[in-house]
Amino acid sequence: MIPSDTYAVAFFRLMAVRRKSGIVDNAKIAFIYNEVNPFTKHTCESTMKHAQDYGLDIVLNEKFDGNHEDQGNKDNVRKWVRRMKAEGVGTLIGCTWVADGLMLQEIIVEEQLDLMANMITIAPTNPSWNQRFPKNASTGKSDGDYVLSPVQWHHTQRFPDASSVGSTSEFGEDFKTGTGNYPNYLLSACTAAGVFLERAMGKTSWEATDLDSSSERLRASMRDLMESTVYGDVRFDRHNQNVGHEPAMLQILESAQTSVLPESNSKDQIIFPMPTWQSRRGCPPATYNDGQDCIPCKADRKSVV
């Protein structure tokens, strides 16, 4: 398992590069998280430390109890979203579960909060996301699009594997053909563990009369082995933890989940900064849509509606 405190690191690296190159210049970041759930609490609190390491300015750090039906929570989240809008926050990290994550995105949509990046845990990868934010039949877009969500692994990633299971895409498509569904990260991790063990055993000399020493040699082979699997690279550190690959960052594009980070093994390019709500809804007269924002037309140029 990949620690959730690393979930946003690849994105922070990308942001640092784009800030340095002048593509983005907004360093303001906000955190909203469910403090009752141990996962969401740990994820956001540890991610704040990484944000500071990358020189980001934490202008809002708010927590609630995760009860999406409580009107007080809804009012607080709306207050925080409006504050982000007033202070020009560029990035939001929302550490939530399913129902509270849906609530957070609903309020963002209602308040038309423009962000460069919006990362929400858990909810965007749940089937209820597309139910709550359905695709527009004419545009193919959704109010749930462009949201980022970190996961352990995803079938759209691109990892090679020379074993019988094939690459990540081959493994995913074969599994879907046989079951009707894509494999989840647990099944992928277990498959990779079996492949890794098989390869380690192939590099170990066995003594039928001395299984104890053979087992020790197998552990040594596994410790020193580095292999590419459907789950990514497997490499163990001195604490016997797999540090071979990073978590995947998904982005919702046209109501579909796709991997965008790390760039080296993802299917699609991340859309960052994300388009403004005005750009997504349709630009007013005397402006044109550049795909990112509504830009005022020059004196000799007219917009076509």
Side-chain angles (χ1 to χ4, degrees):
M1 297 287 287
I2 303 169
S4 66
D5 58 8
T6 65
Y7 272 0
V9 170
F11 172 71
F12 288 159
R13 281 202 309 265
L14 176 68
M15 183 187 289
V17 170
R18 296 196 176 182
R19 285 175 62 199
K20 188 172 183 179
S21 62
I23 297 175
V24 298
D25 59 3
N26 190 333
K28 294 181 179 180
I29 188 170
F31 289 83
I32 295 177
Y33 65 97
N34 177 340
E35 67 172 337
V36 175
N37 185 297
F39 163 79
T40 58
K41 183 176 187 292
H42 170 75
T43 301
C44 255
E45 289 180 350
S46 55
T47 301
M48 287 182 214
K49 298 175 185 177
H50 290 297
Q52 292 170 329
D53 291 341
Y54 279 89
L56 300 177
D57 180 17
I58 301 175
V59 298
L60 183 142
N61 168 19
E62 298 289 354
K63 51 197 174 185
F64 66 109
D65 66 12
N67 184 352
H68 66 286
E69 296 180 339
D70 181 79
Q71 188 60 46
N73 282 333
K74 292 180 181 179
D75 292 342
N76 280 333
V77 171
R78 190 176 300 279
K79 178 178 66 176
W80 301 332
V81 167
R82 288 175 176 173
R83 179 179 157 194
M84 284 188 278
K85 194 171 186 177
E87 297 195 17
V89 168
T91 301
L92 168 64
I93 307 291
C95 300
T96 61
W97 208 247
V98 179
D100 48 343
L102 293 170
M103 176 189 72
L104 174 58
Q105 179 65 9
E106 282 181 335
I107 292 174
I108 288 172
V109 174
E110 290 168 3
E111 295 295 329
Q112 300 287 278
L113 173 64
D114 285 326
L115 295 163
M116 294 192 310
N118 177 17
M119 185 189 108
I120 298 177
T121 61
I122 306 297
T125 62
N126 188 278
S128 58
W129 188 264
N130 288 344
Q131 296 169 8
R132 191 68 60 88
F133 308 108
K135 181 187 293 188
N136 185 295
S138 59
T139 66
K141 305 293 184 181
S142 159
D143 286 345
D145 281 350
Y146 306 109
V147 175
L148 299 169
S149 193
V151 294
Q152 293 280 321
W153 173 90
H154 198 257
H155 66 269
T156 61
Q157 290 186 279
R158 296 291 184 258
F159 293 118
D161 189 329
S163 75
S164 59
V165 301
S167 66
T168 305
S169 57
E170 292 169 331
F171 171 65
E173 292 301 328
D174 287 347
F175 190 86
K176 186 181 182 188
T177 299
T179 67
N181 298 299
Y182 284 110
N184 60 26
Y185 78 92
L186 290 173
L187 191 144
S188 172
C190 290
T191 302
V195 170
F196 188 80
L197 178 60
E198 178 186 29
R199 291 178 181 170
M201 291 176 68
K203 297 177 181 293
T204 303
S205 59
W206 293 89
E207 295 290 343
T209 58
D210 189 2
L211 293 180
D212 287 341
S213 62
S214 295
S215 297
E216 191 58 41
R217 284 195 293 274
L218 175 60
R219 278 193 287 269
S221 294
M222 294 177 68
R223 182 190 62 221
D224 298 334
L225 191 62
M226 179 173 173
E227 289 287 331
S228 293
T229 72
V230 294
Y231 193 68
D233 290 339
V234 177
R235 176 170 56 85
F236 292 104
D237 64 10
R238 61 190 180 93
H239 301 294
N240 296 319
Q241 297 297 307
N242 179 17
V243 293
H245 79 286
E246 297 179 87
M249 183 68 78
L250 304 184
Q251 189 165 39
I252 309 300
L253 299 176
E254 297 188 359
S255 299
Q257 303 171 21
T258 187
S259 55
V260 293
L261 292 174
E263 294 174 297
S264 60
N265 52 48
S266 292
K267 178 184 177 184
D268 290 303
Q269 289 187 329
I270 187 173
I271 297 181
F272 167 67
M274 57 193 286
T276 64
W277 286 106
Q278 191 176 63
S279 171
R280 294 164 70 171
R281 294 283 194 265
C283 291
T287 66
Y288 69 94
N289 197 333
D290 68 352
Q292 169 67 35
D293 202 353
C294 295
I295 309 299
C297 293
K298 295 181 180 179
D300 59 347
R301 180 174 178 176
K302 296 181 179 180
S303 62
V304 179
V305 180

